Amino acid sequence: MKCFSKLLRKNNEAMENLFKALELSWFRSNEQEFIHEYVKVMEPVADALDVLQGEISISMSYLLPTLTILREKLNNHQRDTTMKHANPLVCSLLDSLKDRFDHMFNIPQIRLAAICDPSFKVKWLPEKEQDSYKKLLKKEYEKWEKETIEEEKENSEPEDECSGDSGSTTSPRRKNFFSSLWKKPSKVQPQNEVDLFFAEPLGHVEQLSKYPILTKIFRKYNAVLPSSAPMERLFSKAGLVFTSKRTRLADGTLDMLVFLNVNSKETCSW
């Protein structure tokens, strides 16, 4: 739809001639306006879905920031006075987001998952809400700090801490979606470990290596987002391999072909 909208803008006359040659009815002006507005409204929705259905470096921490930024973008569209046809669509999307996801903003575990991620911290929140979220993390930190001290008393050998395997691999589209967060300066004066964490600029999960207790909190609450999208992609690629002309493929051969297809980037260097 986005490509079609671009064609309408750049090659409207050529597209109209093509429709006439195919004996198809051409779009009226108000229909063309609706197509452009529809693409404009649905673009942030598509970007948000791409983020949440990703397969690399994705965890529960992405949920609330993604929903917040998506809601902000839709609210901007709702205030756009130049939009004539897509306002009902915007209102419907906002209502659906509220009905489906609003309660998740009140779940402490999901809040903690987002604010202990160095990629987001509290930069995705309005300033009036940032302090309450920081207090939530400080309270959780104090609880883990006490447990850590007790463990150190019991064990003479210190535990090895890991910074997680999330990595810093981020697609350009995902970076662009969250670009507004990286521009916000921090106003916190460092006092303790949590304040130091918030005072630092946004970064990647490796930043947590300096904060062992925050690393534990991050690993506790940042589960992988439950999504069927990766599995659906796998079945789709399997369907491209197992065609009507290859119905006699053995199970093992099919498994190997699908494996090579899915991991083509890695196997090219073999």
Side-chain angles (χ1 to χ4, degrees):
M1 185 65 80
K2 186 176 181 179
C3 293
F4 186 70
S5 176
K6 286 181 178 180
L7 286 172
L8 286 178
R9 292 185 185 279
K10 294 182 179 179
N11 302 295
N12 191 287
E13 186 176 349
M15 289 291 293
E16 185 175 359
N17 292 334
L18 176 62
F19 270 59
K20 287 180 180 178
L22 296 173
E23 297 182 354
L24 296 173
S25 300
W26 181 238
F27 295 99
R28 296 191 293 270
S29 59
N30 61 334
E31 292 174 333
Q32 293 184 41
E33 289 173 358
F34 175 78
I35 290 173
H36 297 318
E37 290 182 10
Y38 176 84
V39 170
K40 185 178 179 180
V41 169
M42 293 304 295
E43 186 172 11
V45 178
D47 289 343
L49 287 173
D50 284 344
V51 169
L52 296 177
Q53 293 181 350
E55 298 181 42
I56 300 174
S57 303
I58 188 73
S59 63
M60 189 60 72
S61 63
Y62 279 82
L63 181 61
L64 297 187
T66 301
L67 292 173
T68 301
I69 292 175
L70 174 58
R71 193 156 51 187
E72 288 176 2
K73 291 176 182 288
L74 291 175
N75 281 327
N76 290 336
H77 288 321
Q78 193 176 38
R79 292 189 290 267
D80 187 355
T81 56
T82 62
M83 197 166 289
K84 300 178 182 178
H85 311 285
N87 276 321
L89 174 61
V90 176
C91 294
S92 178
L93 288 169
L94 286 169
D95 290 341
S96 298
L97 285 173
K98 182 178 180 180
D99 293 341
R100 177 65 181 87
F101 295 108
D102 245 24
H103 72 282
M104 292 188 176
F105 286 83
N106 298 320
I107 300 175
Q109 292 84 353
I110 302 181
R111 287 182 171 189
L112 286 167
I115 59 178
C116 69
D117 189 327
S119 300
F120 305 115
K121 300 183 182 179
V122 293
K123 297 294 177 72
W124 53 278
L125 290 162
E127 287 192 14
K128 61 182 181 180
E129 296 181 23
Q130 290 184 7
D131 286 341
S132 63
Y133 276 71
K134 288 179 180 179
K135 289 177 182 177
L136 177 65
L137 183 58
K138 286 180 179 179
K139 185 177 179 180
E140 186 72 12
Y141 175 85
E142 290 170 359
K143 183 181 77 174
W144 280 82
E145 187 178 34
K146 290 178 181 178
E147 292 179 2
T148 302
I149 293 172
E150 291 175 1
E151 288 178 5
E152 288 176 351
K153 288 179 180 178
E154 295 176 0
N155 305 313
S156 57
E157 296 181 3
E159 292 183 356
D160 294 329
E161 299 293 348
C162 301
S163 60
D165 300 326
S166 294
S168 58
T169 304
T170 309
S171 67
R173 193 170 189 179
R174 193 187 301 173
K175 281 185 177 179
N176 184 56
F177 189 79
F178 297 112
S179 61
S180 60
L181 304 183
W182 292 69
K183 299 175 184 177
K184 296 182 180 179
S186 177
K187 299 180 180 180
V188 178
Q189 294 297 324
Q191 294 177 356
N192 53 42
E193 188 172 319
V194 177
D195 287 336
L196 286 169
F197 172 73
F198 284 127
E200 282 191 318
L202 295 182
H204 298 293
V205 73
E206 290 87 351
Q207 194 181 87
L208 288 172
S209 61
K210 296 181 285 186
Y211 311 108
I213 296 176
L214 289 178
T215 298
K216 291 181 179 180
I217 299 172
F218 177 87
R219 295 177 66 181
K220 177 178 174 62
Y221 295 112
N222 272 287
V224 177
L225 276 174
S227 172
S228 62
M231 188 59 64
E232 290 170 3
R233 294 189 192 108
L234 180 63
F235 280 122
S236 177
K237 290 182 178 179
L240 295 175
V241 173
F242 193 72
T243 63
S244 58
K245 295 183 178 180
R246 308 177 81 177
T247 56
R248 300 187 68 182
L249 281 175
D251 292 346
T253 306
L254 177 62
D255 288 345
M256 287 187 285
L257 288 172
V258 173
F259 175 84
L260 292 172
N261 185 291
V262 173
N263 298 282
S264 57
K265 291 183 181 179
E266 287 74 13
T267 54
C268 284
S269 59
W270 290 6

